[in-house]
C-alpha cells in the first residue's frame, strides 16, 4: 500500500481558488446544491466550466483537452462536488469515457470525440449492466454480429443512468461466442443513443425522479469506426475503466452538502450533544478519506498503478457516505418532512432515498472487497 | 517518508525485532519493565526524538517521533517512548528545565484532579493528585502542570517523593495514581509554563502519540490476520479463501490505512504546535479503526485469538486501552464538533480540504 499524505503546490492552491471564485459567481444565491454525481444535468454549466478549461483536463491539448494532472482534476472535481454543482452532463464523459478513448481509441475516434468532450458538449452513458448481468459482467448477452461496414447489435441494457439525456453510450457486448474463456470475445461499441433501433424507456427511480433507463437495442447498426479499442479486448478495457472511476471524490462527497446544511441550519442555536459529536466525527472522517483519495491522484501522476488503493478508497468512501446518512438523521432529532422541511431536511430525505445506491453503482461493496482481498499480501 | 526518517525507522525496527518479541511483552506485563529494550532505545536516543538537541534531546520533528511510535506500536512495546520525549521532554525543554537521563512521564490527570503549587523560590511545595499517570512508578521524573494564583507552572517531581498507587490499563501497562502531599520541590524543577504549554496542550500531544501507537499496532494486526487466515485450514482450504473472512481482511487493512493517513498528516503538520483539528481527527479515526479492526481480527482468528499466548491479544488489548487514553473518540468528536460548529458552515469545506499543509 502506497498511501501518503500530500501537500498541494502553490499552483494547485491557485487553481482551487479560481474554481471557488468561479462557483461563487456561477451558482445563484438561491442555488439548491445536489448530492454528488446525481447533482443535476446542466449543459450550460458544463459548457461554462469547459470554457475555463476544467472539462477534459486529463486529455492532451492536441485533442482539445488540457493535459493537466490527475491532482488538478481532483481539485476541480472536489470543489464541484462540495458545492453540489450540476456536473451531470459532462461527468461520465470526463471521468471515464474520455480517458478510455484516449487510451484505447483510434486516432480518428480521438479526433472526433475528445474535443467535443472537452468542450462539455458530448455526453456519455455507460452500457454495462443487463437484466441478467450485474456483478457478473462477463456474462453479458448483448451481441454484435459482423455486417458489411460495421456491426448489428442486439440486446438489452439496464440501469443506464442518463441515457435519456446523453449522446452516446459505450456498450459492452459479445462480438464472438463464449467458448471457454468467458472474458474473451467481448468488445465495447460506441452507440449513438439517437440511432434507429435504440429504444430508451425510463425506469422510475426510488425517489420518483428519472435517473436511469432500460435501453433496448434492436438491429442497431454500429459502423466499424465506432468500435472502442480492439475487437475482443472489451473485458480488459472495462475492468481498467472501472478502476478509474473507483477512488475519486465522487465516492465520498455525496452527502457532504447534507452535512453542511445541517451545520448552517443549526448556526443560531446551541447544538445538543449528539449533534456536536456528529459534526466533529464527520469532519474527522471527511478530512481523512479526502487525503486518501488525493494520495491516489498523486500516485496516478507518478505513473504508479494504485489499483488496490483506489479500491480501498471506493469501498471506504461509499460505506462512509451511507454511515453519514444514519448519523445525520439521528442528529436531526425530528421526524423528516421531505415536502415542507428546510433545505437540510430535503437533502437528507434525498440522501435517504438514494443512499442505498452508493455501494451498488460502479460495482458492489461485496464484489469490490473480494477483488481487493486477492491483492492483500499473504 | 524522507531518507532520514526511513533510517530512523529501520534502526528502531531492528532494535524492536531483537529485544521486543511477544515473549518480552508478555514478561513485561508481569515484571513491569523490559530493561534491555529500554537501554537499547535510550542508547540510540530514540526516546528524546523531537526534543531539540540544545535542550538535551535528540533533535528531529514531531513527525519523526510519531514514525518511531508507529514502530513501537506494531511491537506492542511496553516502554514510555511517547511519554519521555514527545510529552515530558517537550514540556521540560519548553520551560527551560532539565531533562532526566532516564524515562520520564507526564501526569495530565482526570477531570477532577488538581495540582497546586504553593510557596516561592526556595520553598516550592506541590499538593494534589493525578490519576492514570503512565509508567509513573518506572519513571525518573513525573512532569505536570501545576497552578498558583492563576499562573501555570511546569513542574518535575521524583516519583519517590510522591505516594504511588499502582494501577494498569487493559494491556497491563502501568497507569498509576500519584499523590503529592506538600512535596518540597527544588527551584530547578519549577518554571512558569511558556505560552502554549498547558495541560490541554499535553493532552493534545498525548492524543497524537496514542494515535501513532495505534496506527502501528493496527498494521501489525492486519499483517498477522492475513498471515493466520492464509495458514489456518478449515473445510479443506485456507480460511482466507472464504468471502466472509476476506471481508474482515479488507476492512482491517482499510481502517489501518485510514489511521496511518490521519496520523501522518497530523504529525506532519505539527511543526510549531499540534493543530487541534488535525490531532482530534487523528484520534477519532484511529479510535474508530481500533474498534473495527480489533473486532474483525478477533472474529477472523477464532479461539486462538482469545489466548494470552497469541500475539493478537497483546495488540488488541493495547488498542482497547490507547483508544481511551488522552481522550476517547467520543470526547474528541465533541470537542472538534464544537470547534467546527463555531467556525460555521462556510468554513467547513475549506477546513476539511486542508490536509497536509506542511512540507517540513
Ligand atoms: C443508481 C444506479 C445507477 C446505475 N447506473 C448504471 C449505468 O449507468 N450503467 C450500467 O451499466 N450500470 C449501472 N448501474 C448498475 C450497477 O452497476 C449494478 O447495480 C451493479 O453492478 C450490481 O449489479 P446488480 O444490481 O445486478 O446486483 P447483483 O449483481 O445481482 O447483486 C445483488 C447482491 O448480490 C451480491 N453479489 C453478487 N455477486 C456476488 C459475489 N460474487 N460475491 C458476493 N456477493 C455477490 C451483490 O454484492 C449484491 O449485494 C447503476 C446502478 C445504480 C444503483
Amino acid at each position: 500500500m502506497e498511501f501518503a499524505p500530500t501537500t498541494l503546490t502553490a499552483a494547485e492552491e491557485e487553481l482551487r481558488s479560481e474554481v471557488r471564485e468561479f462557483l461563487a459567481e456561477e451558482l445563484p444565491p438561491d442555488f439548491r446544491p445536489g448530492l454528488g454525481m446525481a447533482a443535476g444535468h446542466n449543459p450550460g454549466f458544463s459548457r461554462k466550466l469547459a470554457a475555463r478549461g476544467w472539462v477534459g483536463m486529463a486529455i492532451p491539448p492536441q485533442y482539445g483537452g488540457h493535459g493537466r494532472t490527475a491532482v488538478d482534476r481532483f481539485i476541480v472535481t472536489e470543489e464541484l462536488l462540495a458545492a453540489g454543482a450540476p456536473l451531470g452532463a459532462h461527468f461520465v464523459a470526463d471521468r471515464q469515457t474520455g480517458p478510455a478513448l484516449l487510451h484505447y481509441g483510434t486516432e480518428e475516434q480521438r479526433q472526433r470525440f475528445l474535443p467535443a468532450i472537452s468542450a462539455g458538449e458530448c455526453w456519455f452513458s455507460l452500457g454495462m449492466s443487463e437484466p441478467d448481468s450485474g456483478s457478473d459482467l462477463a456474462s453479458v448477452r448483448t451481441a454484435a454480429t459482423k455486417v458489411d461496414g460495421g456491426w448489428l447489435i442486439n440486446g438489452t441494457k439496464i440501469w443506464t443512468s442518463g441515457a435519456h439525456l446523453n449522446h452516446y453510450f459505450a456498450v459492452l457486448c459479445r462480438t464472438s461466442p463464449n467458448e471457454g474463456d468467458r472474458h474473451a470475445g467481448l468488445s465495447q461499441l460506441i452507440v449513438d443513443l439517437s440511432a434507429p433501433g435504440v429504444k430508451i424507456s425510463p425506469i422510475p427511480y426510488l425517489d420518483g425522479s428519472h435517473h436511469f433507463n432500460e435501453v433496448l437495442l434492436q438491429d442497431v447498426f454500429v459502423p466499424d469506426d465506432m468500435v472502442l479499442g480492439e475487437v475482443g479486448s472489451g473485458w480488459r478495457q472495462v475492468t481498467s475503466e472501472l478502476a478509474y472511476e473507483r477512488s475519486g471524490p465522487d465516492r465520498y462527497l455525496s452527502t457532504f452538502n447534507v452535512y453542511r446544511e445541517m451545520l448552517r441550519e443549526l448556526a443560531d442555536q446551541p447544538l445538543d450533544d449528539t449533534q456536536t459529536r456528529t459534526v466533529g466525527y464527520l469532519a474527522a472522517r471527511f478530512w481523512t478519506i479526502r487525503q486518501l483519495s488525493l494520495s491516489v491522484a498523486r500516485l496516478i501522476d507518478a505513473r504508479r498503478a494504485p489499483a488496490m488503493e483506489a479500491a480501498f478508497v471506493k469501498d471506504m468512501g461509499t460505506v462512509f457516505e451511507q454511515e453519514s446518512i444514519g448519523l445525520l438523521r439521528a442528529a436531526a432529532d425530528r421526524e423528516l418532512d421531505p415536502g415542507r422541511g428546510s433545505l437540510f431536511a430535503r437533502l437528507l430525505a434525498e440522501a435517504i432515498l438514494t443512499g442505498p445506491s452508493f455501494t451498488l453503482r460502479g460495482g458492489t461493496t461485496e464484489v469490490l472487497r473480494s477483488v481487493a482481498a486477492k491483492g492483500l499480501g499473504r | 517518508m524522507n531518507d532520514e526518517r526511513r533510517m530512523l525507522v529501520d534502526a528502531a525496527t531492528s532494535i524492536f525485532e531483537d529485544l521486543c518479541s511477544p515473549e518480552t511483552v508478555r514478561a513485561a506485563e508481569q515484571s513491569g519493565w523490559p530493561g534491555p529494550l529500554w537501554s537499547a532505545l535510550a542508547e540510540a536516543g530514540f526516546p528524546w526524538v523531537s526534543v531539540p538537541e540544545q535542550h538535551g534531546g535528540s533533535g528531529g520533528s514531531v513527525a519523526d517521533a510519531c514514525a518511531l511510535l508507529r514502530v513501537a506500536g506494531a511491537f506492542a512495546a511496553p516502554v514510555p517512548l511517547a511519554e519521555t520525549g514527545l510529552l515530558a521532554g517537550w514540556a521540560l525543554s519548553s520551560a527551560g528545565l532539565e531533562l532526566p537521563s532516564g524515562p520520564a512521564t507526564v501526569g495530565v490527570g482526570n477531570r477532577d484532579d488538581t495540582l497546586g503549587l504553593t510557596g516561592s523560590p526556595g520553598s516550592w511545595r506541590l499538593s494534589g493528585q493525578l490519576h492514570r499517570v503512565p509508567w509513573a512508578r518506572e519513571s525518573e521524573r513525573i512532569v505536570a502542570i501545576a497552578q498558583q494564583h492563576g499562573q501555570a507552572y511546569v513542574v518535575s517531581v521524583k516519583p519517590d517523593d510522591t505516594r504511588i498507587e499502582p494501577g494498569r490499563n487493559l494491556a497491563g501497562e502501568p497507569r498509576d495514581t500519584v499523590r503529592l502531599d506538600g512535596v518540597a520541590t527544588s527551584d530547578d524543577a519549577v518554571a512558569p509554563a511558556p505560552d502554549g504549554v498547558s495541560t490541554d496542550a499535553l493532552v493534545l500531544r498525548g492524543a497524537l502519540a496514542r494515535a501513532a501507537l495505534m496506527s502501528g499496532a493496527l498494521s501489525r494486526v492486519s499483517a498477522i490476520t492475513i498471515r493466520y487466515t492464509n495458514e489456518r485450514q478449515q473445510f479443506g482450504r485456507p480460511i482466507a479463501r472464504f468471502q466472509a473472512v476476506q471481508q474482515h481482511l479488507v476492512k482491517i487493512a482499510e481502517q489501518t490505512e485510514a489511521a496511518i493517513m490521519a496520523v501522518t498528516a497530523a504529525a506532519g503538520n505539527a511543526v510549531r504546535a499540534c493543530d487541534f483539528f488535525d490531532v482530534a481527527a487523528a484520534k477519532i479515526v484511529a479510535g474508530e479503526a481500533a474498534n473495527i479492526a480489533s473486532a474483525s481480527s478477533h472474529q477472523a482468528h477464532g479461539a486462538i485469538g482469545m489466548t494470552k499466548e497469541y500475539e493478537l491479544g497483546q495488540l488488541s488489548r493495547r488498542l482497547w486501552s490507547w483508544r481511551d487514553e488522552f481522550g476517547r473518540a467520543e470526547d474528541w468528536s465533541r470537542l472538534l464538533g464544537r470547534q467546527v460548529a463555531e467556525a460555521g458552515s462556510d468554513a467547513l469545506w475549506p477546513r476539511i480540504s486542508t490536509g497536509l499543509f506542511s512540507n517540513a
Side-chain angles (χ1 to χ4, degrees):
Chain A
M1 221 64 64
E2 285 198 85
F3 287 115
T6 173
T7 49
L8 297 183
T9 64
E12 289 162 351
E13 293 279 8
E14 176 60 29
L15 170 63
R16 175 151 80 169
S17 315
E18 285 170 20
V19 181
R20 284 184 185 167
E21 275 164 36
F22 169 82
L23 289 169
E25 278 167 28
E26 259 338 290
L27 302 177
D30 61 345
F31 169 71
R32 179 195 187 283
L35 301 186
M37 284 184 270
H41 195 280
N42 183 332
F45 181 81
S46 291
R47 269 194 294 269
K48 279 188 185 157
L49 203 64
R52 295 296 302 261
W54 296 334
V55 180
M57 293 178 80
I59 290 166
Q62 78 215 74
Y63 301 117
H66 305 279
R68 306 287 289 259
T69 61
V71 170
D72 285 344
R73 185 178 173 275
F74 176 97
I75 291 168
V76 171
T77 308
E78 72 167 352
E79 290 301 326
L80 294 176
L81 290 162
L87 40 64
H90 69 273
F91 196 66
V92 168
D94 178 73
R95 179 188 72 184
Q96 205 152 338
T97 326
L101 281 160
L102 182 64
H103 284 103
Y104 307 115
T106 62
E107 186 56 29
E108 197 191 330
Q109 288 168 346
R110 292 181 191 161
Q111 303 274 7
R112 172 168 172 191
F113 288 108
L114 296 181
I117 287 176
S118 305
E121 285 175 348
C122 180
W123 316 323
F124 273 84
S125 289
L126 300 171
M128 297 202 253
S129 307
E130 296 183 6
D132 292 326
S133 301
S135 301
D136 184 12
L137 203 53
S139 71
V140 288
R141 284 196 291 220
T142 295
T145 46
K146 193 73 191 85
V147 294
D148 206 21
W151 300 79
L152 270 193
I153 184 166
N154 279 285
T156 306
K157 290 293 170 180
I158 199 170
W159 321 126
T160 317
S161 304
H164 57 301
L165 300 167
N166 296 334
H167 303 112
Y168 298 94
F169 75 152
V171 173
L172 181 70
C173 62
R174 216 154 245 304
T175 40
S176 55
N178 182 356
E179 290 162 343
D181 179 3
R182 55 205 298 271
H183 294 155
L186 293 169
S187 304
Q188 274 185 297
L189 268 51
I190 299 171
V191 176
D192 184 337
L193 283 161
S194 64
V198 177
K199 187 164 171 272
I200 302 168
S201 320
I203 305 173
Y205 200 40
L206 197 60
D207 67 353
S209 67
H210 183 181
H211 175 83
F212 49 29
N213 305 272
E214 181 192 69
V215 184
L216 207 62
L217 302 167
Q218 281 172 312
D219 283 336
V220 178
F221 177 72
V222 181
D224 279 326
D225 62 8
M226 294 285 263
V227 175
L228 173 47
E230 276 167 41
V231 174
S233 56
W235 181 255
R236 190 172 51 85
Q237 289 169 205
V238 158
T239 42
S240 68
E241 198 176 321
L242 288 175
Y244 276 118
E245 67 165 314
R246 266 177 202 149
S247 72
D250 42 318
R251 297 304 180 187
Y252 53 88
L253 285 175
S254 303
T255 60
F256 178 74
N257 277 289
V258 190
Y259 172 39
R260 182 170 43 204
E261 282 313 313
M262 180 179 87
L263 206 54
R264 202 188 304 283
E265 185 172 313
L266 293 175
D268 44 16
Q269 66 192 74
L271 273 58
D272 69 27
D273 195 54
T274 307
Q275 289 163 341
T276 312
R277 277 192 285 121
T278 300
V279 167
Y281 174 80
L282 292 179
R285 296 289 307 276
F286 274 117
W287 180 77
T288 305
I289 189 107
R290 173 187 174 274
Q291 294 191 78
L292 290 165
S293 179
L294 172 60
S295 124
V296 172
R298 275 279 188 251
L299 289 170
I300 291 171
D301 286 335
R303 310 221 169 279
R304 321 288 302 199
M308 277 288 280
E309 288 84 352
F312 272 29
V313 170
K314 188 197 168 207
D315 183 28
M316 269 190 277
T318 53
V319 169
F320 165 63
E321 288 180 333
Q322 286 179 346
E323 186 191 345
S324 71
I325 297 172
L327 293 169
L328 290 163
R329 188 187 147 269
D333 193 30
R334 80 186 94 131
E335 186 182 329
L336 203 57
D337 182 348
R340 272 164 306 170
S342 62
L343 178 55
F344 164 58
R346 281 177 289 142
L347 290 175
L348 178 58
E350 191 181 327
I352 290 170
L353 287 171
T354 59
S357 72
F358 300 163
T359 50
L360 295 173
R361 59 187 184 191
T364 70
T365 303
E366 289 77 8
V367 174
L368 188 64
R369 285 183 183 167
S370 294
V371 174
K374 294 194 178 73
L376 282 177
R378 39 200 59 166
Chain B
M1 202 179 286
N2 61 33
D3 290 349
E4 244 171 273
R5 193 169 303 155
R6 161 80 31 223
M7 277 165 57
L8 198 67
V9 163
D10 289 346
T13 304
S14 80
I15 292 180
F16 286 114
E17 274 169 356
D18 290 346
L19 298 168
C20 193
S21 65
E23 292 71 39
T24 313
V25 176
R26 207 175 312 124
E29 287 181 20
Q30 301 307 317
S31 72
W33 189 249
L37 173 62
W38 179 263
S39 306
L41 292 170
E43 179 100 1
F46 291 152
W48 299 279
V49 167
S50 80
V51 180
E53 277 165 294
Q54 71 266 31
H55 293 290
S58 307
S61 61
V62 170
D64 293 329
C66 286
L68 286 177
L69 289 175
R70 246 174 87 184
V71 185
F75 285 88
V79 285
L81 194 62
E83 289 79 357
T84 298
L86 197 57
L87 300 177
W90 170 73
L92 292 172
S93 64
S94 302
L97 296 176
E98 203 184 328
L99 262 62
S101 58
T105 190
V106 289
V108 295
N110 65 23
R111 252 169 298 211
D112 303 323
D113 288 340
T114 55
L115 184 61
L117 181 68
T118 52
S120 50
S123 66
W124 294 117
R125 285 188 181 276
L126 279 167
S127 296
Q129 58 182 9
L130 299 165
H131 285 90
R132 305 206 61 76
V133 180
W135 307 96
R137 70 190 99 137
E138 306 291 351
S139 298
E140 206 174 302
R141 289 284 179 161
I142 300 166
V143 176
I145 307 293
Q147 303 289 334
Q148 186 187 43
H149 311 310
Q151 161 72 48
Y153 290 83
V154 177
V155 299
S156 165
V157 287
K158 296 195 196 84
D160 285 349
D161 295 339
T162 70
R163 273 192 298 128
I164 291 190
E165 292 159 21
R168 57 189 180 81
N169 64 13
L170 299 172
E173 296 178 321
R175 298 293 184 260
D176 304 328
T177 302
V178 176
R179 295 188 199 282
L180 304 96
D181 310 311
V183 173
T185 310
S186 60
D187 287 356
D188 60 4
V190 178
D195 250 10
V197 178
S198 63
T199 299
D200 282 352
L202 277 173
V203 172
L204 198 62
R205 288 176 89 86
L208 177 61
R210 286 295 183 268
L213 285 166
M214 280 197 274
S215 71
L218 285 161
S219 310
R220 182 71 188 151
V221 165
S222 183
I224 64 177
T225 310
I226 290 168
R227 186 193 64 197
Y228 180 77
T229 55
N230 277 283
E231 285 166 9
R232 170 75 173 167
Q233 304 235 351
Q234 285 294 286
F235 300 98
R237 53 182 139 153
I239 55 172
R241 298 260 191 85
F242 295 110
Q243 210 176 38
V245 174
Q246 291 175 350
Q247 308 264 327
H248 288 306
L249 298 181
V250 172
K251 273 203 291 186
I252 297 165
E254 287 175 349
Q255 292 297 321
T256 301
E257 294 301 330
I260 293 172
M261 175 59 75
V263 166
T264 315
N269 284 342
V271 176
R272 286 219 165 64
C274 287
D275 182 86
F276 173 85
F277 182 105
D278 293 349
V279 174
K283 190 71 173 24
I284 292 166
V285 167
E288 168 94 354
N291 299 344
I292 294 172
S294 59
S296 274
S297 58
H298 273 288
Q299 187 66 19
H301 270 89
I304 188 86
M306 296 306 293
T307 61
K308 191 96 199 230
E309 286 292 307
Y310 188 72
E311 187 184 348
L312 178 62
Q314 297 185 351
L315 296 157
S316 57
R317 284 181 297 119
R318 278 171 178 76
L319 289 172
W320 293 329
S321 302
W322 295 341
R323 69 182 174 185
D324 278 10
E325 295 172 3
F326 295 100
R328 304 166 308 147
E330 292 79 359
D331 305 319
W332 284 109
S333 293
R334 190 176 290 119
L335 293 170
L336 183 58
R338 253 178 236 150
Q339 196 204 50
V340 168
E342 238 157 68
S345 56
D346 288 340
L348 181 63
W349 175 246
R351 186 60 191 89
I352 281 170
S353 58
T354 303
L356 183 70
F357 53 76
S358 167
N359 275 315

